[in-house]
Structure formats: C-alpha cells, structure tokens
Amino acid sequence: MRKGRLEQLIRESGYDAVVATSLANVYYSSGALIMTQASIPDRLASVVWPARGDPVFVVCSIEASLAQRDSWIKDVRTYEEFATSPVALIADVLSKLAPAPRQVGVETRHLTAHYMDELRRTLPSVQLTACESLFDRARAVKEPEEVSRLASAAQATDKAIWESFATATPGRRERDVAADFQRRLLDSGPDMVAFCVLGSGENTALAHPYASDRVMKSGDLLRVDVGGSFQGYYSDLARTMVVGKASDRQRDVYSRLWEVHEQTIDAIRPGVRASDLYHVCAAGFERARLSFKMPHIGHSLGIGLHESPMLKPQDNTELVPGMVLAVEPLHFEPSGERYHVEDLIEVTATGHRIVSRAGKWDTLFETN
Amino acid sequence: MRKGRLEQLIRESGYDAVVATSLANVYYSSGALIMTQASIPDRLASVVWPARGDPVFVVCSIEASLAQRDSWIKDVRTYEEFATSPVALIADVLSKLAPAPRQVGVETRHLTAHYMDELRRTLPSVQLTACESLFDRARAVKEPEEVSRLASAAQATDKAIWESFATATPGRRERDVAADFQRRLLDSGPDMVAFCVLGSGENTALAHPYASDRVMKSGDLLRVDVGGSFQGYYSDLARTMVVGKASDRQRDVYSRLWEVHEQTIDAIRPGVRASDLYHVCAAGFERARLSFKMPHIGHSLGIGLHESPMLKPQDNTELVPGMVLAVEPLHFEPSGERYHVEDLIEVTATGHRIVSRAGKWDTLFETN
C-alpha cells in the first residue's frame, strides 16, 4: 500500500514532519484527488505528515466533502478561501506537534515563493528543506495495483491511437484525427483526456502542438504524443504513421528507429541504471545512423507525467521490480520532421514486460 | 492588442523589468501557448520584459520551434534541459540589460521556492518583488478578439451541455453523460476538454468530483461544472438538471436560484464594483430563502480560470467595458445536495451582455 511505503521513508528521513502540497504528492499520500490543485493553484491542499503521529489533511472548505469521502486520513482541517491563508493553517498544524518540529521537509519545487516566504516568516525557528526526493523514491516503485492501472490505461490509449490512425487519410484535417482519438479514448472510461499532441508534415517539427486545421496529404508524416488520466494515473504514448502511402525512405527510417527502440527496451532489467538505458539508446542511434539529440530518452510514469527515475545521463538510479518506464526515442530528419515512438514497460523480477501494445507497431502504419 | 496593454503597464510600473513564468502570463505576453508549462513545471518558459527595450523569450530547447512559430518576440533563447538551469538563463538575460536592473517584478505566486531561491542567489543586488497584479490588471480587460473567443467557447460549451443533458435518463451512469458531453464539445473544435466535473444525487455534495459509475434514477439532481480550452481561452459553465421527473420542491428551489442569478447579472454595468455583485447576490439569496455560503460568487475568465477581478467581498475593482465575468451562484440543500448555475457575461459600455446561453435554462431541465 502506498501509505506504508511513505510512512517508512518519512520515519527514516530524519525529518520531524514532511508537508506535501503538489497534486501528485497530496493524492499519493492522502488518496484524494483534488483536481483544482492544478487549475486553481492558490487554493492549496496539503498533507502534513509527522515522523511520529498521524497525518493531517489541510484543504479549502469547498473540498472538505471530497477529502472526507476519499481519504484514509481522518483528521481533515479546512480553511475558508480568501478569509484565511492555507499556509497559516499548515503552520498552525506544524506548530502544535509535540515535540516541536525543528526539521520540516517541504516541496520546494512546488510550493511558490509567496507561500514559502509566508511559511518561513510564520515558523522562523523551523528549518524548511526540500523533501521531493523522498516522495520521488516512494513513487518510483509501484504497488501491483498501480502497475495494473497504468497497464490498462496504456492498453486503452494504444487501442484508441491504433483505431484513430486508420481514419488519418489524405484530405482529412489534423483536428479530425485528434477528435477521433479523444472520442475513442473516452470510451475506455478515463477521468479525462490529459493531453493530445498531434502534428503532421511540417508540424511534426514542433514538440507539443495542438492539432490544427491543416489538411493532410498522402506521404505526410503524422505524429501523436497523447495521454489520459485514469483515476489520477497517466497514460503517455507516442506513435508515428504516414498518411496515405509512405516512401521507401520513410519506411526505412521508421524501421531503424523501431529496432533501436526494441534494443533499448531489451536492456531493461533489475540492476541496470537509468543512465545505462540512455547510453544503450544513444549507441543504437549511432549504429542506425539516426540523429540523436535527446536530453532524456524516457521517464517513469505514474501519478506524475515525468516521474523519477528519468532516463537521462545524470540519473544513476538502479532499476528494481515495480518501476514503470516510458521509453520514447525521437529521430529528427534534416527537414526538422520527427519520428517518435513511446511504449510503457514494467520492470519485473526477471527482466521486463511491455504493457502498452494494443496495435502492431513494428512496421510503419500507412493508410494506403 | 494584448502586447500594447502590457507594454504600457510595464513602463508605468517602476519596474526595470518584469519576468513572466506562468503558462497564462507567458502566453499572454508572448502569444505562444506552451502546454508543457502545466504538465512539466520544472521545464520553465519565461518572458523577460524590460521597461526599456525588447522582451526576450526563454524556453527549453525542445520548445524552440513552437516559440519561434507562434510568438511575435524575435529574441528566443534556449536552455538544454537537465544540463542548464532555466533560472541561470533568465538571470543572464536580466544581468545583461543596460542600465543594470535594480527592481525586477516576478510571479511570486507561480515561481517555486526552489527557482526563486536560485534567482535570489544569482542576482543578490536585484530587488525581486511580486508583479502578478500588473498582469492581472492587463488581463482583466479583454480585447474584442478575446471577448469573441470567450463568447464562442461559451456558446459551444452550453450547447454541448444542453444536448448531453437530454441523454441523462434514469438507468444511465454518470460516466455516460460525462463522455457524451465531452464528445459533443470536441465537435466544436477546442484544443482540449479542460475539465469535466459531474455529480448526481449524493455526489452533488462534492465540489469537484469526476463522473463515476453511479447509475442515476428518476428524481436525482445532476450538476455539471465544465469547460474547454479554445486557443488557450477557457470556457466554464455550471448547470443543474433533474434526471427523469423533478419534484415540486426541486422546481421551486431551482426557480428561486435562477431568479437571484438573473438579479445578480442585471446589476452588471461599468462603475459597479466586483464586491457589489457579491452583496447583491447575497441579499438575493436571503430574500429567496436560499442557503448562502460562498467565499466568491464568480470570477473573471480568460486565459486563466479564476482571473481578476474576483466577485468576492474583498475585491473592490470597478467594472469597465471589456471585462468578462463568470457568475455562479450555488445553493446547498440541508441534505448537502447543491444547485449550481453559471453564465458568462461581458461588461459593455452601457451594461452587459450574456454570452453563454445556447440552451433555455430559466426552468429546471428534466428528462421526463
């Protein structure tokens, strides 16, 4: 259970208490998904978790009923928006802990300067330091139930991509395919379509475009990078196809990229480091004469989109069973057009398991 | 033009430069909508705008092509993710301004403590203070093109609600109606469905639930609070209906709420203060014997969801033509169930214009 993992890490951390404030870490530690934490960031929600004693859930009064229904934390305290500062309530909870806390961990990469300055002023004798790495470590290894949510989210998303790609025929607009994909994804019962990046032709040169009114023609590259939110867990998959009929060069580039992709995935097993996978991928690109310019070649996936470990040269985390990795190599043509594939892989006791393939992606998809 | 409004406010502000970092303010000042600013917050994008001289657009290298295509700002500078800190680049741009800046405005309610501390360390002689109110003032009054985007987004959203409500018959699940609404909204060509709050029966006691598997029965209250993103501009509308056949009490409560809603909207005209509307609404609730417990009764809408002015007792901003207000009164039944309606209103030279009504909402919607 998520609660148990976190509880142990907090006890071992040396902190007297940690304070979660981001949507992901509040959801992870409380079990309650408060969507307005993202859309209305001033309206803070927070879990104050002492090393000894029970956690307290701080929410805006408007969210109290949801917090009480969905969280296992019994002690829910509320503030009135605009009348009281959420930080005043967090500070009040901290200051009443016994013994008085001296070292408190906060999310310095989430808490804003405004709220952090207020917390520092209110608790001048408490040392406030960054504790994200504690949450990162807890979230990096998924419970079986989390893996199963992520796997079924990935399957549903891949199926929706596969089916909507069949509708990407010459004469249709980018926007039509994006809407078709989203409709199909909605059939699988996500909370939301979380993001829908789609570009064709010259628009594949953009990293994160929304679908446009561009009318597609035969031979256009089409790339998607899409995801849904399923009970707060992300799917995140990228696929590339050709509208109408592909050229021999397009088929060749895709098949070389796919081969490197498979080689990188093959290297996934316990004990390998995140940075190793980066280097395996980079070496594969060189052998395949593809253009490699990625700061990372993938990331963990969960409640967050880019979770730890990141598949980058600076991250030497050793893989362990229960990690769930999105591997996403990208090749740029001299024109700027990009080929992009992304799969989701569970690290298992003996190696790995690809959980994201509902379609058959080993050859380039065409709608000839 | 948005650029002109902001340029003037910066020149008058006394700041030597202001630094936008939030998705909304970077989009407002640059014209480029970088969606990963929300989903990957460490990957900062920023506009550094000097009081004298041209602005600089700082983005992660992966977003350079989109920034160059969509922004009117010519000077786009990039940092490499994980290799260089975005704050180092922002500080570098600031430190090379001539004359050297002493007062710099930053978004203290967006910039995280981590990045703010780095900026303070890097520029110890620069005074960094909160400049959100400057952006708030610029964005509070919309250009005609912005009003027209918001109005057509609201129309499309209201139409999708109206049509999906007709499908909310006894025996269907909440999730079916939510998916139906989202499919219809996608037909109108938004970038995304931004949020979709839906609850029926006892779930209307929750402020922001996702639709569940709950099977609805005749007499259930059903409430939605939904919105899309249209070229970065939000729609945001709330509506309440009864599944199947309503009771006399439900019709009566709804019609009293609707009357107060209309009275509040009728009070909208230039010169009236945001707080006045709050008090008009509160007085209407008392006359109609409805339960009033809202910290605010609405908000401005634009690139942000809750923009300034907010319709709350603490906000004495005078309304001026070009403001666009979401008015959203809420009544709670003793059971906790809530009735909620929300419309979008443009402040015009002579009064106001309701821009959100595609359906006929003056009587309670039933699917009898």
Side-chain angles (χ1 to χ4, degrees):
Chain A
M1 193 196 169
R2 305 194 302 201
K3 171 176 178 289
R5 292 187 57 77
L6 197 57
E7 200 159 35
Q8 186 179 346
L9 283 166
I10 293 171
R11 222 177 294 118
E12 295 166 358
S13 69
Y15 284 118
D16 300 313
V18 301
V19 180
T21 50
S22 64
L23 188 148
N25 287 334
V26 168
Y27 178 39
Y28 191 84
S29 46
S30 73
L33 185 57
I34 300 181
M35 63 168 88
T36 49
Q37 285 188 261
S39 53
I40 308 172
D42 275 356
R43 196 187 279 168
L44 219 55
S46 174
V47 173
V48 179
W49 199 316
R52 281 177 292 274
D54 295 324
V56 176
F57 197 2
V58 168
V59 296
C60 180
S61 59
I62 195 175
E63 305 292 2
S65 49
L66 190 135
Q68 280 151 357
R69 187 192 66 169
D70 292 348
S71 182
W72 62 272
I73 300 175
K74 295 278 164 274
D75 190 352
V76 176
R77 303 196 204 168
T78 62
Y79 64 90
E80 199 67 26
E81 195 172 16
F82 312 126
T84 323
S85 156
V87 167
L89 181 51
I90 293 169
D92 182 66
V93 171
L94 285 169
S95 66
K96 285 177 179 155
L97 294 177
R102 287 186 295 188
Q103 295 273 353
V104 172
V106 294
E107 290 191 60
T108 60
R109 287 175 179 275
H110 172 265
L111 203 61
T112 62
H114 173 82
Y115 280 145
M116 183 68 159
D117 288 347
E118 184 184 344
L119 194 57
R120 284 170 172 153
R121 278 195 312 275
T122 315
L123 300 173
S125 60
V126 175
Q127 198 173 352
L128 303 165
T129 51
C131 71
E132 280 93 339
S133 65
L134 186 154
F135 287 103
D136 287 352
R137 282 204 305 284
R139 285 165 49 194
V141 183
K142 273 72 179 173
E143 305 291 321
E145 189 197 277
E146 295 181 284
V147 175
S148 128
R149 279 192 202 180
L150 288 163
S152 65
Q155 284 288 324
T157 305
D158 201 49
K159 181 165 176 283
I161 298 173
W162 179 261
E163 291 172 357
S164 64
F165 268 16
T167 74
T169 47
R172 293 199 85 207
R173 298 176 310 165
E174 289 180 359
R175 194 182 288 285
D176 301 326
V177 179
D180 188 86
F181 161 74
Q182 292 183 67
R183 285 195 195 91
R184 289 173 199 274
L185 188 62
L186 285 169
D187 288 338
S188 66
D191 307 322
M192 291 289 293
V193 179
F195 57 98
C196 182
V197 167
L198 185 150
S200 67
E202 65 272 13
N203 288 342
T204 65
L206 307 170
H208 300 108
Y210 285 116
S212 75
D213 290 327
R214 183 178 184 279
V215 176
M216 300 180 297
K217 57 185 193 306
S218 185
D220 277 349
L221 209 60
L222 171 65
R223 165 195 167 247
V224 298
D225 187 352
V226 293
S229 170
F230 293 76
Q231 298 179 275
Y233 284 76
Y234 274 106
S235 61
D236 177 12
L237 294 173
R239 301 290 180 199
T240 302
M241 66 166 286
V242 166
V243 177
K245 191 173 154 55
S247 67
D248 287 344
R249 167 157 182 91
Q250 287 172 326
R251 288 185 200 125
D252 175 56
V253 168
Y254 183 86
S255 87
R256 283 186 280 143
L257 178 66
W258 189 260
E259 199 181 324
V260 178
H261 185 45
E262 293 284 51
Q263 288 163 0
T264 309
I265 293 172
D266 277 347
I268 295 178
R269 71 183 67 89
V272 167
R273 292 172 302 180
S275 53
D276 293 337
L277 296 180
Y278 182 88
H279 297 303
V280 166
C281 186
F285 265 66
E286 195 174 338
R287 276 196 311 276
R289 292 162 292 110
L290 294 168
S291 107
F292 187 84
K293 41 180 181 174
M294 291 169 280
H296 69 86
I297 61 114
H299 51 86
S300 288
L301 188 73
I303 296 176
L305 189 59
H306 281 195
E307 295 203 338
S308 177
M310 292 288 297
L311 307 183
K312 61 182 181 182
Q314 303 88 348
D315 193 328
N316 293 316
T317 308
E318 275 193 16
L319 304 188
V320 298
M323 287 183 174
V324 177
L325 308 174
V327 176
E328 51 166 334
L330 254 174
H331 161 73
F332 293 87
E333 284 287 85
S335 63
E337 289 186 326
R338 73 183 73 196
Y339 289 71
H340 190 189
V341 293
E342 182 173 18
D343 273 295
L344 194 68
I345 293 98
E346 176 194 2
V347 182
T348 62
T350 53
H352 65 266
R353 181 172 71 105
I354 301 173
V355 298
S356 52
R357 295 205 186 140
K360 194 178 148 7
W361 299 107
D362 55 336
T363 54
L364 180 56
F365 193 112
E366 305 175 37
T367 46
N368 195 4
Chain B
M1 193 197 166
R2 305 193 303 198
K3 170 175 179 289
R5 292 187 56 78
L6 197 58
E7 201 159 33
Q8 185 180 346
L9 283 166
I10 293 171
R11 221 177 293 119
E12 295 167 358
S13 69
Y15 284 119
D16 300 313
V18 301
V19 180
T21 50
S22 64
L23 188 148
N25 287 334
V26 168
Y27 179 38
Y28 191 83
S29 46
S30 73
L33 185 56
I34 299 181
M35 64 169 88
T36 49
Q37 284 188 262
S39 53
I40 308 172
D42 275 356
R43 195 187 280 169
L44 219 54
S46 174
V47 173
V48 180
W49 199 317
R52 282 177 291 274
D54 296 325
V56 176
F57 197 1
V58 169
V59 297
C60 179
S61 58
I62 196 176
E63 305 293 2
S65 49
L66 190 135
Q68 280 151 355
R69 187 192 66 169
D70 292 348
S71 183
W72 61 272
I73 300 175
K74 294 281 166 270
D75 190 351
V76 176
R77 302 198 205 168
T78 62
Y79 64 89
E80 199 67 25
E81 196 172 16
F82 311 126
T84 323
S85 156
V87 167
L89 181 51
I90 293 169
D92 182 65
V93 170
L94 284 169
S95 66
K96 285 177 179 153
L97 294 177
R102 287 186 295 187
Q103 294 274 354
V104 171
V106 295
E107 291 191 60
T108 60
R109 286 176 180 275
H110 171 265
L111 203 63
T112 63
H114 173 82
Y115 280 145
M116 183 68 160
D117 289 347
E118 184 184 344
L119 194 57
R120 284 171 172 152
R121 278 196 311 274
T122 316
L123 300 173
S125 60
V126 175
Q127 199 173 351
L128 302 165
T129 52
C131 71
E132 281 93 340
S133 65
L134 187 155
F135 287 103
D136 287 350
R137 283 205 304 284
R139 285 165 49 194
V141 184
K142 273 71 179 175
E143 305 291 322
E145 188 197 278
E146 295 182 285
V147 175
S148 127
R149 278 191 203 181
L150 288 163
S152 65
Q155 283 290 322
T157 305
D158 201 48
K159 182 165 176 284
I161 299 173
W162 179 262
E163 292 172 356
S164 64
F165 268 15
T167 74
T169 47
R172 293 197 86 207
R173 298 176 310 165
E174 290 180 358
R175 195 182 287 284
D176 301 325
V177 179
D180 188 87
F181 160 75
Q182 293 183 66
R183 286 195 194 91
R184 289 173 198 273
L185 188 62
L186 286 169
D187 289 337
S188 65
D191 307 323
M192 291 288 294
V193 178
F195 57 99
C196 182
V197 167
L198 185 149
S200 67
E202 66 272 13
N203 288 343
T204 65
L206 307 169
H208 299 108
Y210 285 116
S212 76
D213 290 327
R214 183 179 184 279
V215 175
M216 301 180 297
K217 58 183 192 306
S218 186
D220 276 349
L221 209 59
L222 171 63
R223 165 194 167 247
V224 299
D225 187 352
V226 292
S229 170
F230 293 76
Q231 298 180 275
Y233 284 76
Y234 273 107
S235 61
D236 177 12
L237 294 173
R239 302 291 180 198
T240 303
M241 66 166 287
V242 166
V243 176
K245 190 172 154 57
S247 68
D248 288 343
R249 166 157 182 92
Q250 287 171 324
R251 289 183 200 126
D252 176 56
V253 168
Y254 183 85
S255 87
R256 283 186 279 143
L257 178 66
W258 189 260
E259 198 181 324
V260 178
H261 185 44
E262 293 283 51
Q263 289 162 0
T264 309
I265 293 171
D266 277 347
I268 295 177
R269 70 184 68 88
V272 166
R273 292 173 302 181
S275 53
D276 293 337
L277 295 180
Y278 182 88
H279 296 303
V280 165
C281 185
F285 265 67
E286 196 175 336
R287 275 197 311 276
R289 291 161 292 111
L290 295 168
S291 105
F292 187 84
K293 41 180 181 175
M294 293 169 279
H296 69 86
I297 60 115
H299 51 86
S300 288
L301 189 73
I303 296 175
L305 191 59
H306 281 194
E307 295 204 337
S308 177
M310 292 288 297
L311 307 184
K312 62 182 181 181
Q314 302 88 349
D315 192 329
N316 292 317
T317 308
E318 275 192 17
L319 304 188
V320 298
M323 287 182 173
V324 177
L325 308 174
V327 176
E328 51 167 333
L330 255 174
H331 161 73
F332 293 86
E333 285 286 85
S335 63
E337 288 186 326
R338 71 185 76 198
Y339 290 71
H340 189 191
V341 293
E342 181 174 20
D343 274 295
L344 194 68
I345 294 98
E346 176 193 3
V347 182
T348 62
T350 53
H352 65 266
R353 183 172 70 105
I354 302 172
V355 298
S356 53
R357 295 208 186 136
K360 195 179 148 5
W361 300 106
D362 54 336
T363 55
L364 181 57
F365 193 112
E366 305 175 36
T367 46
N368 195 3

